[in-house]
Amino acid sequence: MKLIGVLGGMSWESTTEYYRLLNQGVRAHRGGHHSARILMHSVDFAEIEAAQHRGDWQATANILIEAAVGLKKAGADFLVIATNTMHKVAPEVERESGLKVLHIADATADALIAQGITQVGLLGTRFTMEQDFYRERLEARGIKVLTPETQERETVHRVIYDELCQGIIRDESRLEYQSICDTLKYRGAEGVILGCTEIGLLLNQQGVTVPLFDTTAIHAEAAVSLALAET
């Protein structure tokens, strides 16, 4: 079994889900007392969040590169960046660490294609919804991406940083997200990507009429498959 290197803490609320899902996945495949081999570096999210919002992506990359290099030295076989937004700097992390990054958008594209989805709504941080680094990987696989309107994007972004990353789960926010999903479906989305690893803490299929694709679960499943793959 390969040793999974996890770059976590962005936020730790969703990183705990990764830890649970990785271990459950290995046990489901191997049975008995088997669990995942995981090496984790959990960063201080306050430093990442501040750099994100001032647009200093090089600073965020430097933090993850240093952590990734440490994971490689400690024996990790590949990397999982346990957040969607920070895949913006995944190419730099992969290049500088020398470790393969299992890209969350690629795993999500595989799941969408398996379900025959060709047009999908995307929820996430403002950075994920508005910048190209995530959308382009999906579009390269033939998947058209729809994002919420401006005010809806602000709502999605605010709830992620002010509530979900703080461990706050509000019914009012769940209703807002459900309404945004309904609007995306009306605009033609055949499914909706929960493109922030915290959104699954708030939103599930109950109360939503369009299929949801939880990137945390999808990414963890892909990591388990890679970890257990014969070399």
Side-chain angles (χ1 to χ4, degrees):
M1 186 191 312
K2 297 181 184 69
L3 180 58
I4 306 170
V6 178
L7 295 171
M10 301 166 281
S11 67
W12 67 260
E13 299 285 346
S14 61
T15 301
T16 60
E17 283 296 293
Y18 269 91
Y19 186 76
R20 179 180 66 82
L21 290 167
L22 290 170
N23 282 294
Q24 284 184 344
V26 169
R27 184 171 62 188
H29 282 274
R30 290 283 178 90
H33 295 288
H34 284 288
S35 55
R37 297 181 64 233
I38 300 170
L39 189 63
M40 182 183 296
H41 184 125
S42 189
V43 303
D44 180 1
F45 186 45
E47 297 175 2
I48 296 280
E49 184 272 338
Q52 287 175 339
H53 283 92
R54 67 173 182 265
D56 190 353
W57 293 99
Q58 187 58 54
T60 69
N62 291 343
I63 292 169
L64 292 196
I65 288 167
E66 180 181 7
V69 169
L71 292 178
K72 183 181 182 182
K73 289 179 179 177
D77 292 305
F78 66 95
L79 293 174
V80 170
I81 302 176
T83 167
N84 285 269
T85 298
M86 289 308 297
H87 279 76
K88 179 177 174 66
V89 299
E92 294 95 314
V93 173
E94 186 170 75
R95 181 180 65 249
E96 297 300 325
S97 70
L99 283 176
K100 171 184 172 63
V101 172
L102 182 62
H103 202 291
I104 197 168
D106 294 343
T108 301
D110 289 341
L112 293 166
I113 290 168
Q115 295 295 319
I117 302 293
T118 59
Q119 184 160 268
V120 68
L122 174 62
L123 303 182
T125 66
R126 184 170 65 244
F127 316 114
T128 299
M129 290 186 290
E130 295 180 357
Q131 297 183 22
D132 292 335
F133 69 93
Y134 201 95
R135 179 189 295 106
E136 284 181 346
R137 291 186 88 98
L138 298 176
E139 291 177 343
R141 303 284 298 278
I143 300 166
K144 182 177 180 181
V145 179
L146 305 175
T147 57
E149 300 297 340
T150 303
Q151 188 55 53
E152 293 174 324
R153 293 199 302 270
E154 289 302 316
T155 296
V156 173
H157 183 88
R158 175 188 57 77
V159 168
I160 290 168
Y161 280 95
D162 294 350
E163 298 175 20
L164 302 181
C165 288
Q166 304 289 334
I168 300 169
I169 307 296
R170 299 175 65 245
D171 289 338
E172 297 88 340
S173 296
R174 181 179 295 109
L175 291 173
E176 288 181 298
Y177 270 51
Q178 289 172 347
S179 176
I180 292 169
C181 288
D182 287 341
T183 300
L184 287 168
K185 179 183 178 182
Y186 176 79
R187 290 172 53 199
E190 301 163 336
V192 172
I193 298 170
L194 306 186
C196 173
T197 52
E198 283 81 23
I199 296 178
L201 303 174
L202 175 70
L203 196 63
N204 57 41
Q205 201 62 64
Q206 184 176 356
V208 180
T209 59
V210 64
L212 300 179
F213 292 83
D214 185 346
T215 54
T216 305
I218 291 168
H219 202 201
E221 182 179 355
V224 168
S225 295
L226 181 56
L228 297 180
E230 297 294 332
T231 57

